[in-house]
Structures are given as structure tokens and as C-alpha cells.
Amino acid sequence: MIDWFIHFSGTLGAACRDILPIAAIIFGSQVLIIRRPIPNLRRVLAGFFYVVLGIALFLEGLETSLFPLGELMAKQLTSSTFIQASARTTEMDWQAYGWVYAFAAAIGFATTLAEPSLLAVALKAEEISGGAIGAWGLRLAVSLGVAFGIALGTYRIVTGTELYLYILAGYVVVVIQTAFAPKMIVGLAYDSGGVTTSTVTVPLVTALGLGLASTVPGRDPVLDGFGLIAFASLFPIISVMGYAQAAAWLSRRRSLS
Amino acid sequence: MSSLVRLLKNRFTLQLTRSLLDLAPIVGVIVAFQVGVIHQPIPEVFALLLGLLQVVLGLTLFVLGLEQGLFPIGESMAYAFARKGSVLWLLLFAFGLGFGTTVAEPALIAVANQAADVARQGNVIADSLEAQENYALGLRLTVALSVGFAIVVGVLRILRGWPLHYLMIGGYIGVMIMTPFAPAEIIGIAYDSGGVTTSTITVPLVTALGVGLATAIKGRNPLLDGFGLIAFASLTPMVFVMAFGMLVR
């Protein structure tokens, strides 16, 4: 218990340091440039205190929950006993890791569909497009995009292929789509890439990738462990523009007939 | 006073439910795989549950604190700067906003610590706790600098009315030019840092700045021009972190 307190106070101190720059910028510009006292100063200070406490608790909790969970799932789904029990082939090729891809896709789909900031973006897209793009359809498209992206990312870790080739291919698709997609959706689509990976999803997915890279034979966490988040933020851009293009095409066809 | 306590309690329970809902899909999928597919014992279930409880509580306090302290004042300040007219102050503020919010982003702290841990175990950096902490901090400061830079360029874009996709394609080309020169062990982290950066603190404040600017300038549509700040801010970290990897080596 005492150990925990010493450790936690260390994390708390670090959190104070982390919050310092933004606090200095906000208070500094309020006092020096806007030259007005801060309204509800006590409430604001209490808010900053909650933020520091929250960051420290969150980071402490990660160490014993989402990080070990992600690694545990990676270890169990790639352990030789599990693979031999589930796969018919005894060969250790990429097909033996089917459940890994399924798990990655399920995590990507479920967390994205439940993501509140994506809901906000989807409602905004419905508003901009005047109803041509449905909020539900868009959320489904993004969720499928993230699911496919993370699954492909785990396939890349398993096979140890070069990350930049996948990302380069993704960029080429995005650039081509940008030329043809409805102009109003482009900014939203680009932003949706950053929105889909929330504060709780990122640690779990990172731990999953590192766990995979350390258990799959021939892989190295230093070289292969990262990159899943990159997939999760690239594919929604493609799926949002794709969905908007499909919706525009459908409404054109309907108005023609 | 008692009504204030009740208000806080209500907001607290509301946010607690939201944090639980954030975690629910992860726990649901893991439980489904454990029960349906894996059939293996989970070690240290108690510590795991305790950790999850801390995560939920921490996230709740974090978001509550942001909504009570940082967001109202930060948003009104972003609007004030957007309307004030002094371009120099606006750009300085934009940089500070991007830098400061990124340093405080919990997901980035967590991933930077992981990256430093992996780098130490893989002998990329010296095998000491100090080297590990310095590496993690260096990584985060690099990302924060890159986000500050991206917001400055993004604000200039809104002021001048440059099309967003020019910036994005320029960013993509930058990423692809840097990749062959960067050391292999930094590429994955660099590519991930883009998606990690823009999260709970950064997105609302930066969006407020963008929408405020687009509303204040004639001929700009907040819905069309207000977005895109985030998008560019998830590209520049990739370029900057690869440069960081080259410097550290």
C-alpha cells in the first residue's frame, strides 16, 4: 500500500508537469493579452486539479489493466497450444493466426461504433450533406474501415512486411478519392481519421501490437510492434469518402430514373 | 451549496456512465473471445479489475475537469483570439494551444512510455531508467512541437483560404520522403503518433479555434473551413518523429 502511494505520488507529480504548459498558456494570455480576470477562478482551479488527478489515475490503471490485457490476448491467441487446437494445418504460416485477425477486427469495429466523437461527426455530416449521407451508414462505414484497418495491421505484424508500403498504398487511394469525392465531405473525412482512436482504445491496441510482435516467431517489437494505430487512422478517411461517393452516385441514379 | 454538490454529483455520475460505455466494447469483445474461443485462465483477475476501475475513474475525473476548467476558458479564448485581428498573437496562441494540449494528452503519454520501454529492451537507447524517461519525454515534446507547427500552418490556411487537400498531399509527400532516411525502429512509432496525438484535449480546443476563425472571417464557411486543423495535425507528427529518430541515433 505504501509502495503504491509513493508510486502514485510520482505519477501525480509528472501529471502536474504535463498540465503546466497548457495552464501557463491559458492563464498567461488571459492576464497579459486579454487583460481580464478569469471568471469563476475557483471552479477553474478545481477543474485543473481534477484533470491532474484523472491523468494520474488513468495512467496508473493502464499499467495493470489495458496494457496487460492487450498483451495477454496477443499471447493467448498466438500460443502454440491454442493454434494447434484451432487450426487444422500444423504449418506455422500466416493462416494459422486467423483468430488474431478476427479479434483485431472485432475490437476495431466495436470501439469505433461506440465512439461518441464519431457520433458527433456523423451527425454533422448528415447536416452538411442535407441527408444524402446518413449518420448511421457513415458510422457503420467508419467502423468497418477501422475493423479492416486493424485486422490488416495485425496481418502485417504477423508477416513482418514493410509498414510504409501499406501506408503509401493507402495515401494513393486517398489522393485519388480526394479528386472525385464531393468537396464538402473531404475535410470531414480527413478529420475522421484522427477522431476514431480514443484514449482507451489506443493503449489496448498498442499493447496488442507489441504483444503480437514479441510472441510471433521471427518478429521484433522494436521493428514490427507499432503501426496498428496508423492503420486505424488511415482507413476511416478512405471509407468516409467512399461512403460519400457511393451516396452521391446513388442519389444521382435515383434522380435520373 | 447543497444544490451545487448535487449538480456535481449528477455530472459525475453522468460522466462515469460515459466512461464505462467507452470501456464496454473493449471488455465485451475480450470476454466474448475468452469465453467463446480461448478457454484459458486469466491471471490476476483481481488486479485487472482494480486497474480497469482506476482507468474509468481517472477518465471520468479527467473529462469532468476539462469541461469545468480548461474547455470553457480555452474555447472563449480561442474565439477571442480569432476575432482580435492581430495575426502575430493569433499564430503564437495557435502554436501554444497545439503544443500545450498535446503535452497533456494521456494517450500520448502512455504510448511514449511504451515506446521508450521497447526501445530500452531492444537496446536502441542506453539501458537506464533515466535514458528511458528522456526518450519518452523527447518523443512527446517532438510530437507537441509538430502539432503546434501544424496548427499554425492550419490557421494560416484558413486566413489565406488555401485548399485543405494541398496541405494534406504535401504532408503525405513529406512522410514518404522522410521514411527511407529514418531509422527502421522509429517508423512504426512515427506513423502511430499521428493517430495518437489528436485526442481528448486537443480536438475540442483546436476545433473551437478553427470554427471560431472560420466564423470571424468573411466568406468562410465554418462547416467547410473550420475542419481540417486536426487532419493536418495528425500528419506533421509523423514527419517530426522520424526526424527525432534520426537525431537520437
Side-chain angles (χ1 to χ4, degrees), chain A residues 18 25-26 29-30 43 47 51 54 60-61 64-65 73 76 103 111 124 171 190-191 194 197 199 202 222 226-227 229-230, chain B residues 33-34 38 41 51 54 58 65-66 68 77 96 109 111 140 168 172 185 188-189 192 195 198-200 227-228 230-231:
Chain A
D18 296 331
I25 287 150
I26 294 285
S29 36
Q30 183 83 17
R43 250 177 82 81
V51 168
E60 284 282 311
T64 55
S65 62
M73 292 306 291
Q76 290 186 337
F103 177 71
T111 54
K124 213 155 269 169
Y171 284 168
Y190 287 156
D191 269 2
T197 44
T199 307
V202 163
V222 176
F226 290 93
I229 303 293
Chain B
F33 268 75
Q34 287 290 345
I38 295 178
Q54 281 185 42
L66 286 180
Q68 176 174 330
M77 199 169 285
I109 301 176
V111 169
R140 282 170 52 208
M168 295 297 288
Y172 290 157
E185 70 271 2
I189 301 165
D192 272 359
T198 45
S199 202
T200 320
F227 291 101
I230 299 295

Side-chain angles (χ1 to χ4, degrees), chain A residues 43-127:
Chain A
R43 250 177 82 81
V44 171
L45 287 180
F48 270 92
F49 174 71
Y50 292 158
V51 168
V52 168
L53 199 64
I55 292 180
L57 267 176
F58 176 78
L59 291 176
E60 284 282 311
L62 283 186
E63 298 291 330
T64 55
S65 62
L66 290 178
F67 280 150
L69 259 183
E71 262 171 60
L72 179 78
M73 292 306 291
K75 281 209 174 81
Q76 290 186 337
L77 287 169
T78 53
S79 73
S80 51
T81 50
F82 173 75
I83 283 180
Q84 264 154 25
S86 68
R88 277 177 220 104
T89 52
T90 46
E91 259 178 277
M92 294 290 281
D93 55 285
W94 66 271
Q95 291 165 346
Y97 296 101
W99 281 114
V100 173
Y101 315 138
F103 177 71
I107 282 284
F109 185 80
T111 54
T112 311
L113 200 64
E115 177 61 42
S117 42
L118 176 62
L119 178 64
V121 168
L123 289 175
K124 213 155 269 169
E126 191 171 77
E127 190 187 316

Side-chain angles (χ1 to χ4, degrees), chain B residues 121-137:
Chain B
Q121 278 165 17
N123 295 321
V124 177
I125 53 173
D127 187 14
S128 76
L129 201 64
E130 204 196 337
Q132 188 179 333
E133 276 173 6
N134 282 342
Y135 185 82
L137 189 66

Side-chain angles (χ1 to χ4, degrees), chain A residues 146-157:
Chain A
V146 174
F148 180 75
I150 299 189
L152 189 66
T154 51
Y155 167 79
R156 182 200 75 82
I157 292 178

Side-chain angles (χ1 to χ4, degrees), chain A residues 172-197:
Chain A
V172 170
V173 173
V174 168
V175 170
I176 293 172
Q177 275 185 307
T178 302
F180 295 102
K183 283 289 158 285
M184 63 190 176
I185 205 71
V186 170
L188 254 174
Y190 287 156
D191 269 2
S192 70
V195 160
T196 45
T197 44

